[in-house]
Amino acid sequence: MNTHVPQNDGVFSTDRLGEIWPEAAGYSGVAAGVLVISVSPDPSDFIIWFRPELVATSSWAGEPKKLLHIGPNGDRLSPRKSFEVWKETVRGRSLPWTPADLDAAFDLRVSLLHVVLRRINAATRERKRTTERDQLLMAELDHRVKNTIANIQALLCKRAVAPTH
């Protein structure tokens, strides 16, 4: 029975969503079961699969809540019809998630995290190259501004020293 499987590996599943989150009970036709995988290093991005309700009817050899009466002939179940077939309809549950489903979800999560990590690393490398290029351009601009200021200062000094006619 796959009631509710919280795991520390970024995978969560249940075949009874309405029992653990009562607000979901109204959607059991499309979401009685759920399988969730976290696809980012911090748990903020998810992929979610839903399973619809699977209504099942079980037949029992008599109602499980039979009354026991103590009489002159010993203990007896009552009513006498209590041995007739008793049917129970189970609602609000989906087909349980199998261990193979959970393994596949975990493998998918690992693959997606590798893709996310590769993209993060590529973005980090690009950011580093951009920062280095910006620093080089700023250093070149700083050098040119200093040269321009030095030329202006030299011209001003020449005029100040030059004799006037």
Side-chain angles (χ1 to χ4, degrees), residues 31-91:
V34 66
L35 175 63
V36 181
I37 61 173
S38 171
V39 291
S40 63
D42 57 333
S44 61
D45 301 307
F46 302 95
I47 295 178
I48 304 172
W49 289 270
F50 295 101
R51 281 193 171 161
E53 177 181 50
L54 181 65
V55 179
T57 302
S58 300
S59 297
W60 301 85
E63 183 180 353
K65 299 174 188 157
K66 301 173 194 124
L67 297 176
L68 182 64
H69 288 286
I70 301 172
N73 295 328
D75 296 342
R76 301 278 190 249
L77 293 176
S78 178
R80 293 298 291 159
K81 291 187 173 188
S82 64
F83 290 102
E84 290 180 355
V85 174
W86 181 74
K87 293 187 178 195
E88 176 185 25
T89 300
V90 178
R91 296 189 149 282

Side-chain angles (χ1 to χ4, degrees), residues 17-35:
L17 184 58
E19 290 180 22
I20 61 171
W21 189 42
E23 292 87 355
Y27 301 99
S28 64
V30 292
V34 66
L35 175 63

